[in-house]
Amino acid sequence: AVVSTQSTGSHIKENLEETSKLMGYIVPLVSQKCPELADFIVNSDAGTMFSLSWIITWFAYVITDEALIYRLYDAFIVSDALLPVYLSAAILLYRKTRIMSVEC
């Protein structure tokens, strides 16, 4: 029980301040690997809201494979609280071509 409350602590506060802070790390992380993609995201005025459902549901909102969701939850529970942020940045980098092909 201690592990799960420590891992989900930022998501069960009265407001989304901590979650918002976590989401704010995503684009700077992307920028370290691909400044062009980070600039594209910033210029699109998407802010960090695109990642809200990813962070607060640990991707369960966008993944339909239950086994994958369980594996992600296992990893998130026992890992650093920033793992969902790192995964978010990795997904953006993986989808770079598709993201940058849309008009912003």
Side-chain angles (χ1 to χ4, degrees):
V2 173
V3 171
S4 66
T5 51
Q6 287 175 348
S7 296
T8 60
S10 66
H11 301 38
I12 55 175
K13 305 276 187 210
E14 290 181 26
N15 58 45
L16 292 175
E17 188 175 324
E18 286 296 315
T19 302
S20 204
K21 185 189 295 185
L22 290 175
M23 292 173 7
Y25 296 141
I26 296 171
V27 175
L29 280 170
V30 168
S31 178
Q32 293 298 308
K33 185 74 174 168
C34 183
E36 302 84 18
L37 177 58
D39 289 344
F40 184 87
I41 294 168
V42 169
N43 292 334
S44 74
D45 290 327
T48 58
M49 292 308 293
F50 67 87
S51 64
L52 180 63
S53 68
W54 299 351
I55 301 296
I56 65 173
T57 68
W58 282 352
F59 298 90
Y61 185 74
V62 293
I63 297 174
T64 56
D65 181 346
E66 281 187 37
L68 178 56
I69 293 169
Y70 299 150
R71 288 182 18 216
L72 284 172
Y73 275 34
D74 286 344
F76 293 150
I77 287 170
V78 299
S79 298
D80 185 280
L82 290 175
L83 185 57
V85 172
Y86 300 144
L87 181 58
S88 297
I91 289 170
L92 292 171
L93 290 165
Y94 178 76
R95 292 293 191 178
K96 171 189 167 185
T97 304
R98 186 170 184 195
I99 292 168
M100 293 182 72
S101 71
V102 237
E103 189 176 326
C104 78

